[in-house]
Amino acid sequence: MKKVLIIGSGGREHAIGWAFKNAGFEVSFFPGNAGTKFVGKNVLLDNFDRLVEFDIVIPGSEEFLVKGVADDRRNVFGPDSSGARLEGSKCFSKLFMQRHDIPTAKFSIAKNSVELEDALKTFQPPYVIKADGLAQGKGVIIAENFSEAMEKGTKLINGTLISGVSGPVVVDEFLKGWELSAIAIVNGKDFALLPFTKDYKRAFTGNAGPNTGGMGAYGPVRIDNNLKRRIEDVFGRTLDGLKKENINYRGFLYIGLMIVENEPYVLEYNVRLGDPETEVIVTMAPDKFVENVVKAFSNEKIKEYYPENYAVDVVLASKGYPDNPTKGQKIEFVSNNGFFFFAGVKENNGELIVNGGRVLHSIGIDKNLEKAREKAYENIKTVHFEGMFYREDIAK
Ligand code: AMP
Ligand code: GLY
């Protein structure tokens, strides 16, 4: 039996492991969480030399890829650190898009407050300012007026806005449209699109409240063929650009798009799967997902597939998320029949305890979208913890 190691501890990692387990693999997680234990083994690795013990290693988040976990390791499914710059550095990725004629918002790079002021003057409000490096989803500021943009942008540059994040910023033209997550599997040469999904980023029902890592998702999202071809063109240009720059890329490639008048613009590249997009992607068609990943891992030909089911993921979050989630509450399941992926959950003396902002992902699957949605919401009734909240409008 082939041994797979999933790196990470969120719902995304639980979902990937669940799909591989169902396909007959022996699954381990590093470090995993209280839910991944139902699917495989949680292991503690004190150093990455031990990655050789596994046939396939799949890093869930960008963190390890940017640090080079895939460099010179053939068994890691993901780009090496040169490819991971697409996500690890916003300046690199915007300049990459410019070099290869990939549609994106107009932009400037600013390294200090004088350059920031000059850059902002060339745009209209609202102003979009992005940290260059990884900032755990907090690195994008949207400011309504010039003085707010100057104040926050300057703080972002000098490291006083987000702890541990400083340096140059990208100032982007604000794009108005609708967002779509387009994710493909790349086999080192070609790509195959995964089903399109929609992520709900704001915390509360009706798109209110602060931005989060994602409060739910559904898929497949149906789009017209014209737009689909335009998106394929964006992936094609991206892979061509990588080849021209001698960057080998094998793994997942996630393009966050803003669709403006039916034209896709790249907001960001991610070098991994999304969370909660993955929970939806794997449950729509687990076997096909695994089959394509394994083929791409072996540099074999891959093909786009079409799931027969819709899937809906409603995130159950803990009060205070995203800024300051309450932790430590006991999680009680009133039945064993629920379908959840676990995220911020830990085990303490045999009890399940809230240990993060996004706690559980409630999943509904059906051939009909409305029914999949109903199932995801019905499923929520089988669990409770104090301070639990969720959006009422996922997939509506
Ligand atoms: P990013 O991490 O670059 O995807 O940005 C996070 C979020 O900020 C996106 O999902 C968008 O909602 C918003 N955003 C980023 N760039 C722009 C832009 N140029 N125009 C409008 N909204 C943006
Ligand atoms: N859900 C957005 C992300 O994974 O980046």
Side-chain angles (χ1 to χ4, degrees):
M1 192 163 30
K2 289 235 167 179
K3 291 167 86 171
V4 178
L5 176 76
I6 319 287
I7 303 180
S9 61
R12 167 180 52 201
E13 290 75 21
H14 188 182
I16 300 170
W18 171 86
F20 273 85
K21 166 82 191 283
N22 286 350
F25 288 76
E26 184 185 316
V27 180
S28 301
F29 299 88
F30 166 62
N33 63 38
T36 58
K37 278 199 275 191
F38 298 115
V39 168
K41 216 176 355 180
N42 289 349
V43 295
L44 270 179
L45 303 178
D46 37 23
N47 71 70
F48 279 169
D49 292 342
R50 287 192 49 201
L51 295 184
V52 293
E53 294 167 23
F54 300 90
D55 300 299
I56 307 179
V57 176
I58 304 179
S61 93
E62 63 283 4
E63 189 191 334
F64 291 110
L65 292 165
V66 170
K67 285 189 191 144
V69 71
D71 295 7
D72 304 315
R73 283 198 187 93
R74 283 294 304 160
N75 64 336
V76 177
F77 187 66
D80 66 14
S81 50
S82 68
R85 282 180 299 168
L86 282 181
E87 177 163 5
S89 166
K90 283 254 159 55
C91 296
F92 173 82
S93 75
K94 291 292 287 197
L95 293 167
F96 175 89
M97 290 183 244
Q98 194 173 52
R99 284 197 291 279
H100 301 290
D101 217 2
I102 294 163
T104 187
K106 290 199 188 79
F107 70 100
S108 274
I109 290 172
K111 294 189 286 298
N112 52 51
S113 58
V114 178
E115 290 180 11
L116 177 67
E117 183 168 1
D118 288 344
L120 288 172
K121 279 184 184 151
T122 64
F123 294 100
Q124 306 293 321
Y127 299 99
V128 183
I129 305 173
K130 302 186 178 192
D132 179 50
L134 297 181
Q136 293 181 328
K138 298 189 190 119
V140 177
I141 298 166
I142 302 200
E144 294 305 323
N145 60 58
F146 194 85
S147 61
E148 184 194 348
M150 269 309 288
E151 189 200 324
K152 289 192 173 156
T154 303
K155 285 186 171 166
L156 191 57
I157 292 170
N158 66 28
T160 51
L161 191 72
I162 305 170
S163 98
V165 179
S166 63
V169 295
V170 171
V171 180
D172 238 4
E173 175 191 21
F174 182 83
L175 297 176
K176 203 168 157 44
W178 58 278
E179 287 185 53
L180 180 69
S181 309
I183 308 179
I185 302 182
V186 181
N187 67 0
K189 197 164 159 245
D190 306 308
F191 69 93
L193 283 175
L194 287 163
F196 293 113
T197 52
K198 180 172 170 54
D199 174 21
Y200 291 70
K201 288 206 161 84
R202 299 296 198 96
F204 309 126
T205 304
N207 279 332
N211 259 321
T212 71
M215 288 297 292
Y218 83 93
V221 173
R222 312 281 175 189
I223 61 169
D224 69 61
N225 276 331
N226 190 30
L227 176 57
K228 184 161 177 243
R229 275 195 297 274
R230 304 287 298 128
I231 293 172
E232 284 165 348
D233 182 56
V234 169
F235 275 96
R237 283 168 192 257
T238 302
L239 294 197
D240 285 347
L242 289 167
K243 272 173 214 147
K244 281 188 190 132
E245 302 194 11
N246 288 317
I247 297 170
N248 287 318
Y249 199 106
R250 187 189 58 163
F252 300 105
L253 180 60
Y254 167 147
I255 307 190
L257 296 165
M258 185 71 85
I259 313 297
V260 185
E261 290 166 5
N262 224 34
E263 284 291 327
Y265 289 83
V266 178
L267 293 180
E268 62 163 350
Y269 287 114
N270 294 316
V271 298
R272 42 144 182 108
L273 288 167
D275 192 351
E277 291 90 334
T278 305
E279 287 84 329
V280 166
I281 287 171
V282 306
T283 47
M284 284 188 283
D287 296 349
K288 289 174 180 161
F289 169 79
V290 172
E291 190 187 321
N292 256 7
V293 172
V294 172
K295 280 190 177 156
F297 176 79
S298 315
N299 300 107
E300 287 171 32
K301 211 170 152 47
I302 43 176
K303 269 208 339 249
E304 186 179 346
Y305 62 84
Y306 302 92
E308 284 170 18
N309 287 313
Y310 285 92
V312 174
D313 172 353
V314 182
V315 170
L316 308 184
S318 181
K319 191 175 162 201
Y321 177 70
D323 295 329
N324 196 10
T326 310
K327 294 181 190 170
Q329 314 92 298
K330 190 174 159 192
I331 304 169
E332 283 172 287
F333 287 94
V334 292
S335 110
N336 290 324
N337 300 328
F339 186 2
F340 297 97
F341 291 121
F342 285 40
V345 182
K346 78 171 178 190
E347 207 180 305
N348 202 351
N349 296 325
E351 289 186 343
L352 295 174
I353 306 285
V354 173
N355 189 39
R358 291 192 290 185
V359 183
L360 294 163
H361 296 256
S362 178
I363 307 293
I365 309 168
D366 199 277
K367 291 202 166 13
N368 171 289
L369 175 59
E370 188 50 35
K371 288 219 176 84
R373 177 172 191 279
E374 275 166 26
K375 285 181 182 172
Y377 280 95
E378 261 318 288
N379 192 46
I380 296 174
K381 296 181 182 152
T382 67
V383 70
H384 181 74
F385 57 87
E386 225 177 275
M388 173 172 111
F389 77 95
Y390 55 88
R391 279 182 62 152
E392 311 269 357
D393 57 352
I394 306 301
K396 217 169 189 175

